[in-house]
Amino acid sequence: MCRIKEYRENEPILKQDDAKPWLQVRYVIVFLCFTANTLNYILRTNWSIAILPIAREFNWEIQKQQNILATFFISNSCSPLLGGWLVGKYGGFRVVLLAMISSFTMALLTPFAVNTSVTLLIINRLVDGFGQGMVMTGSVGIIRRWSILDERSTFISITTSGNNLDLGAFPFFTCQ
């Protein structure tokens, strides 16, 4: 017989008694958060590598390149505050979904922005930085709700290790 429990918004969904030994939904969720963080950092690393040939092709001086790269990191460092507020209001799943959609949309629009103007590219990088900065905040919000207390630090470690996987594996694929 299935029983439905009532949960409050900020209350963890799983308790210690709810843990089962085999593959549970929380493990799939951790893997998806890991994947989101890996893709997030691949997109971030990609620009640091791609700006050199783009700058050579469009004859951008070093100051213009610095402004383009700095815009992303400034917006990325400000967005976790907004992301934390959004996680509290709408939940981690919606924040991660919105952040990943905005980040991938900006990645798809980047060639158009590069060919149009530097100002449009800077706006593109600004929106991309906000989106990518909210992924980690949303992932922590998801893990907070879908993990039992004893597993929480392990799940956050697994999720954030997606950042390190990118640093180790992605440059080999880029250089080929």
Side-chain angles (χ1 to χ4, degrees):
M1 181 172 201
C2 183
R3 60 176 200 214
I4 299 175
K5 298 179 187 176
E6 288 290 322
Y7 294 104
R8 284 180 251 155
E9 180 61 33
N10 290 324
E11 179 181 318
I13 292 176
L14 298 174
K15 307 283 191 261
Q16 185 67 36
D17 301 337
D18 296 334
K20 297 204 169 66
W22 182 236
L23 184 65
Q24 298 293 312
V25 173
R26 65 183 184 271
Y27 299 127
V28 175
I29 289 171
V30 168
F31 175 73
L32 293 175
C33 289
F34 167 83
T35 305
N37 280 298
T38 303
L39 294 173
N40 193 17
Y41 275 77
I42 286 172
L43 289 172
R44 180 181 301 186
T45 306
N46 194 17
W47 246 101
S48 299
I49 296 169
I51 195 162
L52 295 173
I54 293 171
R56 212 174 300 124
E57 182 180 335
F58 288 95
N59 214 8
W60 291 339
E61 62 272 1
I62 194 74
Q63 184 65 37
K64 202 174 281 189
Q65 295 174 45
Q66 290 171 347
N67 290 339
I68 292 167
L69 290 174
T71 303
F72 172 85
F73 290 104
I74 289 170
S75 64
N76 189 295
S77 62
C78 296
S79 62
L81 294 174
L82 175 64
W85 180 77
L86 290 172
V87 166
K89 190 161 177 75
Y90 300 109
F93 283 111
R94 289 184 181 117
V95 171
V96 171
L97 181 65
L98 175 70
M100 293 304 290
I101 287 173
S102 70
S103 184
F104 285 130
T105 303
M106 291 301 108
L108 290 173
L109 293 175
T110 297
F112 172 75
V114 167
N115 289 317
T116 304
S117 72
V118 173
T119 306
L120 189 60
L121 179 60
I122 287 175
I123 292 169
N124 178 301
R125 296 297 294 158
L126 184 77
V127 173
D128 192 15
F130 268 110
Q132 287 191 26
M134 288 190 274
V135 171
M136 182 58 69
T137 310
S139 296
V140 170
I142 292 169
I143 290 170
R144 180 183 56 86
R145 292 264 337 245
W146 281 92
S147 66
I148 57 177
L149 190 58
D150 293 344
E151 295 177 332
R152 198 166 290 167
S153 61
T154 303
F155 285 176
I156 290 177
S157 297
I158 291 169
T159 300
T160 58
S161 67
N163 310 344
N164 301 330
L165 177 70
D166 161 57
L167 294 175
F170 186 66
F172 294 113
F173 296 118
T174 305
C175 296
Q176 298 302 325

